[in-house]
Amino acid sequence: MPYPAYMEESIHKVAATRPSRLEETFSRIPQAEREDLVNEFHPDYKKEYLRELKIGPNKGSLAPDEIADLLEGNSRIDPDEVNLDDVDYDVDVLVIGCGGAGGAAALLAEENGARVLLATKLRLGDANTVGAQAGTQAADRPNDSPLLHYLDVMGGGHFTNDPDLVEALVKDAPDAIRWLESLGVNWDKEPDGSYHELSGGGTCRRRMHSCRDYTGLEEMRVIRDEIRQRHMHGRTLDFVEFQPAIELILDDKGQVAGAILMNLETREMTIVRAKAVVIATGGMGRIHIQGFPTTNHYGATADGLVLAYRVGCPLIHIDTMQYHPTGAAFPVQILGLLITEKVRTLGAQVINRDGDQFVHPLEARDTEASAIIRECKQRGKGITTPTEEIGVWLDSPMIDIIRGEGTIARELPAMVRQFARFDIDITKVPMLVYPTLHYQNGGIMIKADASAPVPGLFAAGECEGGVHGRNRLIGNSTLDLFVFGRRAGKSAAKWAKEVKLGKFTLDHVRKWQREIKEAGLESRPVSPMLLPNYAKHEKPVPGFQPLGEATAYTPFGDATSRWI
Amino acid sequence: MADATTVKEKAEQEVRMVDIYVTGKRYKVPEGLTIQTALEYCGYNIIRSCGCRAGFCGACSTIYNFTHDPTIRYGLACQTRVEQDMVITQIPFFPAAQALYNLEDLKPEEGENKLLTLYPDIIICFGCNNCTKTCPQDLEVMEFISDAIRGDIEKVYQKSFDCLMCGLCAARCPQGLQPYNIALAARRLRGAHLTTRSQHNEDRIKEIEKGKFDAAIEKLKKADEAELRRMYAAREIEPAL
């Protein structure tokens, strides 16, 4: 499905301005103007999609409707029907979720002497981590420093970040890179062994460590293999797949004491007793905030936020999401698919339908996304697709012009392959892009040791908040996984050695259901959501209970009328 | 759900529909859907065999053929478009065997082929090339198995790097080899033992451990927002490479 004929005129205009754009430096947007732009055009700032939470630790503060529904949701269990004495697993540390953060936490907890159970909703490693293409930041070049990295992170996050967490992030970064390498991650390198580092949106130095454009996949393959190897060696690291946590267990002193898992197919419950629990459940793209398509994997449904919220753990910056500036807008089969920022770091510019640049290609993500939305919605300079999506051009052929033929094929094999499947050669023609729901900036409140305010609870990765403030920079999400994943694993193992657990209870669930009733919220969905419900039935199915609620978006939904 | 019917009816009027077969039953679905979205369109709630939905995780390995052509074909459900008369089966999960190793012990001596130690069976590859023909990433699988037999780790790394570990090559190998696991061991061995360490990275880690930046970071942490904003705006931005 190459581009339709009517788009050709615009594609020619893009090609025609390449020689002049080679010379052109588009200036960055000054700070004050940047904030006005984001305020006016970024989806986070649309007040009509936010509402006040009525119950729980964040009562009174704002959250997007879709998250509020889940946070105020009903438990999947009836505490009176669960026998907590019928324990299936008794471990020191339970890690919930196995993307990069959960995997790293499990490895570190095991190394630090804990008996570990890793429970995942899908397979080991089925997580947003594998889709992270661009790289991992670490300030390790001589002209760089953790101080500059710190400033970049704070500025990117509009100075709302938690300084202790940012300090941990930037100081652990070089060691996180080395740790991954020692496990067998193959970083792109120069012949002398130094890393081949690129710049990214909002970074003042080149500090992105990458593995072609399969960085997260490479990291995850290695971590997953290490987990399997340790398990096969009979070390104290066990795992269960397709068994998400649906509720945490507390003890009578209010400490976290384990979790209830549910088999996704049989829906049987498993009781896990654990002295410490690490939540590493990732993000929420599949709840489709404001109906946006997403770059996220199938299981990204904010489960960890719900689990933590129900045991009284406050959340931070939960009203702010990251819309990746460049999701695919065409063809419709890959609507919302992530087009890595690395495309822009390598030299591709963002171009309107007249062939003109309208924004520096490496602004921080919220700014870049807002500028694209403004260009389409206010200035009317976007290109409309046959399915009535709108987008602007991401001029990939500039990369080979700037860096020499073959660069795109070498540096962006995943992107070349993705578009070739739809007969689009990105070395010759640009890609049509529009912002897509990408990342949960906020989440579970933690301290620098990855501990949450509820004793015995730890969190790492996308499900925690405060590290990135209200906007995360490229390459800091995968870094977050390994910095706070490792910290969480270590802290949880240490906590497990010291804690004395009391009597197990689900009274918090009883209390929660009472609060729901008092607030008149019984009609809220059950949560955690576990999986989005994309299935369409031609006729009603008696007794059919989907795992999750239908979302405002489906892979075809509205779009069915638009398939061509 | 009422809306879905409307949408579906509307879709069927405006869109070219194709017939596909799922566990023997025929369904009409809009042309252009992927196998994955077509299954959902047919009312299936997918639990296994679905991951990133973007061609990166290898969770949705799929077997299909056509009513008029029994030749088995392979692909990723999230990346393969449905076609007329397609017969679809999902593979829940491929259980390939894996060698047990400690990465530490994989450091090869001069002239030693560790891959052959771990996976001695690879020499029975008889070059049918089914693995290559099966690979949804179009990798030269049989070639990198030959490279593994010769102990050429660098070539295995180069040729296998884009592997999603979907397991289809192992599913197809008549000799029972597990090309994707063999390549993973080779890549980990290379990353951990055969590349030169970065001196800059080692130096920076030592500086951080010695507390070189602590006082300055403490100062940044205490700075008020106006001061931070000033410093942020004053950063010198290094040009992209």
Side-chain angles (χ1 to χ4, degrees):
Chain A
M1 194 178 292
Y3 291 113
Y6 76 87
M7 288 190 193
E8 268 168 29
E9 190 190 337
S10 181
I11 293 172
H12 283 309
K13 282 182 183 164
V14 174
T17 56
R18 275 181 200 135
S20 60
R21 280 189 281 117
L22 204 51
E23 308 297 326
E24 181 180 79
T25 321
F26 206 89
S27 57
R28 287 179 194 251
I29 304 172
Q31 183 72 21
E33 215 180 294
R34 188 187 140 196
E35 281 170 19
D36 289 344
L37 172 69
V38 168
N39 263 316
E40 193 174 354
F41 292 99
H42 196 275
D44 273 358
Y45 295 82
K46 289 190 173 177
K47 293 280 177 277
E48 64 270 33
Y49 292 102
L50 294 169
R51 73 166 196 251
E52 255 183 41
L53 288 163
K54 289 189 178 152
I55 50 172
N58 282 53
K59 184 176 170 179
S61 59
L62 292 174
D65 284 331
E66 296 83 352
I67 288 187
D69 281 350
L70 297 174
L71 291 180
E72 295 171 348
N74 287 282
S75 176
R76 285 180 175 271
I77 59 159
D78 176 351
D80 296 331
E81 286 183 1
V82 179
N83 178 7
L84 289 182
D85 295 330
D86 189 7
V87 174
D88 299 283
Y89 289 89
D90 192 350
V91 295
D92 297 322
V93 175
L94 168 68
V95 179
I96 303 169
C98 183
L107 292 176
L108 263 288
E110 189 268 346
E111 276 166 34
N112 282 277
R115 292 168 302 134
V116 180
L117 177 68
L118 181 55
T120 80
K121 181 161 62 183
L122 299 172
R123 301 180 310 168
L124 285 186
D126 282 347
N128 282 339
T129 306
V130 294
Q133 298 163 32
T136 301
Q137 282 201 46
D140 57 10
R141 288 169 59 242
N143 74 343
D144 199 357
S145 89
L147 302 167
L148 289 171
H149 193 176
Y150 184 98
L151 275 178
D152 284 349
V153 175
M154 293 297 287
H158 302 275
F159 307 95
T160 56
N161 322 48
D162 179 333
D164 288 341
L165 301 184
V166 181
E167 178 187 17
L169 185 79
V170 301
K171 277 169 74 175
D172 278 12
D175 191 49
I177 298 289
R178 180 173 70 175
W179 178 71
L180 287 165
E181 185 165 322
S182 73
L183 288 173
V185 165
N186 289 274
W187 298 112
D188 294 342
K189 285 190 163 194
E190 308 297 348
D192 70 351
S194 61
Y195 299 114
H196 174 63
E197 299 183 37
L198 295 167
S199 26
T203 72
C204 69
R205 292 290 183 275
R206 291 190 278 114
R207 69 167 81 91
M208 200 84 63
H209 300 63
S210 57
C211 317
R212 299 189 189 172
D213 56 350
Y214 284 108
T215 307
L217 176 66
E218 168 71 347
E219 292 167 341
M220 196 70 245
R221 287 187 301 214
V222 164
I223 300 263
R224 178 173 52 199
D225 190 46
E226 184 62 18
I227 291 166
R228 288 212 181 112
Q229 288 292 339
R230 288 190 195 181
H231 176 67
M232 291 194 302
H233 275 282
R235 290 167 64 166
T236 57
L237 175 49
D238 200 357
F239 59 85
V240 287
E241 297 176 299
F242 299 101
Q243 296 203 43
I246 54 170
E247 211 68 74
L248 294 180
I249 301 169
L250 294 179
D251 75 357
D252 54 3
K253 301 177 214 163
Q255 305 178 117
V256 171
I260 300 173
L261 313 181
M262 185 181 87
N263 183 315
L264 274 185
E265 280 171 327
T266 65
R267 306 206 183 176
E268 278 172 309
M269 286 191 274
T270 297
I271 309 287
V272 182
R273 191 182 286 197
K275 293 173 182 159
V277 172
V278 179
I279 296 183
T281 51
M284 51 73 243
R286 290 282 155 193
I287 68 176
H288 299 290
I289 289 175
Q290 295 181 30
F292 265 84
T294 184
T295 60
N296 284 192
H297 84 109
Y298 191 41
T301 53
D303 297 358
L305 300 186
V306 174
L307 296 176
Y309 199 67
R310 227 168 256 170
V311 295
C313 181
L315 310 175
I316 180 172
H317 296 150
I318 203 58
D319 56 332
T320 156
M321 302 299 141
Q322 181 163 87
Y323 295 81
H324 195 286
T326 57
F330 184 89
V332 68
Q333 290 89 343
I334 54 170
L335 187 67
L337 174 97
L338 174 65
I339 296 171
T340 172
E341 188 165 325
K342 192 174 175 189
V343 176
R344 282 175 286 136
T345 69
L346 288 168
Q349 297 159 333
V350 186
I351 309 297
N352 66 21
R353 85 169 170 212
D354 299 332
D356 298 324
Q357 268 196 94
F358 57 90
V359 61
H360 189 286
L362 294 178
E363 296 285 0
R365 284 185 173 168
D366 55 355
T367 316
E368 192 83 21
S370 301
I372 293 172
I373 293 172
R374 178 177 65 184
E375 196 70 7
C376 294
K377 298 278 156 95
Q378 189 192 55
R379 297 179 175 169
K381 300 257 179 149
I383 297 96
T384 306
T385 71
T387 57
E388 288 172 20
E389 303 297 333
I390 196 164
V392 293
W393 299 112
L394 178 59
D395 194 17
S396 45
M398 279 299 270
I399 297 170
D400 277 3
I401 294 171
I402 296 168
R403 291 165 185 265
E405 206 155 309
T407 311
I408 300 171
R410 188 178 64 249
E411 298 271 355
L412 299 164
M415 287 295 94
V416 171
R417 189 175 280 122
Q418 288 283 12
F419 280 84
R421 284 179 177 131
F422 300 97
D423 305 322
I424 293 170
D425 178 357
I426 64 163
T427 67
K428 301 285 188 297
V429 291
M431 298 171 252
L432 197 67
V433 298
Y434 195 75
T436 176
L437 183 56
H438 187 53
Y439 189 82
Q440 169 190 299
N441 290 314
I444 299 166
M445 195 182 270
I446 57 164
K447 288 199 206 137
D449 65 355
S451 65
V454 178
L457 187 63
F458 302 81
E462 190 171 347
C463 67
E464 37 83 347
V467 184
H468 310 291
R470 298 186 63 84
N471 176 52
R472 174 181 63 79
L473 296 182
I474 178 176
N476 279 342
S477 56
T478 49
L479 176 59
D480 180 339
L481 305 177
F482 304 114
V483 168
F484 291 98
R486 292 164 74 204
R487 282 178 177 240
K490 214 169 151 180
S491 302
K494 185 163 175 280
W495 172 267
K497 275 180 197 153
E498 292 160 5
V499 71
K500 291 273 175 293
L501 289 183
K503 194 175 173 323
F504 296 154
T505 173
L506 290 170
D507 279 349
H508 57 289
V509 181
R510 292 187 181 90
K511 182 167 162 268
W512 179 260
Q513 290 302 133
R514 275 200 304 276
E515 280 180 48
I516 285 187
K517 209 170 169 190
E518 281 158 22
L521 302 176
E522 292 105 318
S523 63
R524 291 283 184 267
V526 292
S527 62
M529 181 169 166
L530 305 181
L531 290 176
N533 176 18
Y534 290 153
K536 291 287 175 210
H537 292 127
E538 282 181 62
K539 299 171 204 158
V541 184
F544 176 71
Q545 286 186 320
L547 278 165
E549 295 290 309
T551 60
Y553 163 98
T554 77
F556 34 88
D558 293 347
T560 19
S561 58
R562 298 182 261 152
W563 294 111
I564 41 162
Chain B
M1 282 297 131
D3 276 341
T5 315
T6 328
V7 168
K8 237 171 158 169
E9 279 168 5
K10 203 174 155 204
E12 285 166 19
Q13 286 158 13
E14 293 179 8
V15 179
R16 215 191 120 197
M17 307 297 281
V18 297
D19 297 322
I20 61 166
Y21 296 81
V22 182
T23 54
K25 183 176 174 350
R26 188 178 68 162
Y27 293 88
K28 277 193 183 304
V29 301
E31 187 182 38
L33 295 186
T34 62
I35 289 177
Q36 191 163 67
T37 49
L39 285 170
E40 287 163 341
Y41 188 89
C42 297
Y44 287 83
N45 254 307
I46 303 175
I47 292 178
R48 290 173 192 258
S49 313
C50 185
C52 71
R53 302 177 71 101
F56 278 91
C57 76
C60 60
S61 310
T62 298
I63 298 178
Y64 62 94
N65 62 7
F66 295 91
T67 50
H68 51 79
D69 179 358
T71 313
I72 297 286
R73 292 159 173 90
Y74 296 82
L76 298 175
C78 73
Q79 297 294 305
T80 310
R81 279 178 281 174
V82 288
E83 294 171 54
Q84 179 64 32
D85 295 331
M86 209 180 224
V87 182
I88 295 166
T89 310
Q90 296 274 92
I91 304 178
F93 189 59
F94 196 81
Q98 194 177 4
L100 182 66
Y101 54 80
N102 270 316
L103 194 62
E104 287 298 302
D105 307 334
L106 282 190
K107 192 165 187 168
E109 302 291 329
E110 187 67 31
E112 187 191 13
N113 184 357
K114 282 282 183 196
L115 292 178
L116 221 42
T117 319
L118 289 179
Y119 290 98
D121 282 358
I122 54 179
I123 53 165
I124 64 174
C125 167
F126 56 59
C128 71
N129 210 29
N130 269 329
C131 49
T132 307
K133 283 186 271 186
T134 306
C135 180
Q137 292 283 84
D138 299 322
L139 304 181
E140 293 292 343
V141 185
M142 190 188 75
E143 277 190 25
F144 71 65
I145 291 301
S146 306
D147 296 327
I149 293 169
R150 284 194 304 276
D152 192 336
I153 300 288
E154 186 62 24
K155 282 203 175 135
V156 179
Y157 154 75
Q158 290 290 350
K159 290 177 189 170
S160 75
F161 192 79
D162 299 357
C163 171
L164 307 177
M165 315 221 21
C166 68
L168 281 171
C169 51
R172 201 76 172 108
C173 178
Q175 296 289 71
L177 302 180
Q178 307 88 25
Y180 70 115
N181 279 334
I182 296 163
L184 175 66
R187 289 194 306 271
R188 287 192 68 189
L189 189 164
R190 178 190 180 273
H193 299 306
L194 301 180
T195 58
T196 313
R197 291 281 183 228
S198 159
Q199 196 54 50
H200 294 157
N201 181 271
E202 300 283 343
D203 293 347
R204 182 53 44 80
I205 290 169
K206 278 197 200 100
E207 287 175 352
I208 291 170
E209 280 168 0
K210 284 185 185 152
K212 181 178 169 183
F213 304 101
D214 289 358
I217 285 192
E218 217 39 59
K219 225 170 130 187
L220 282 177
K221 283 168 69 181
K222 293 206 176 94
D224 61 26
E225 191 177 319
E227 174 67 2
L228 273 180
R229 280 178 185 273
R230 195 192 55 73
M231 294 170 82
Y232 181 70
R235 292 169 311 153
E236 192 187 314
I237 296 189
E238 178 182 34
L241 195 64

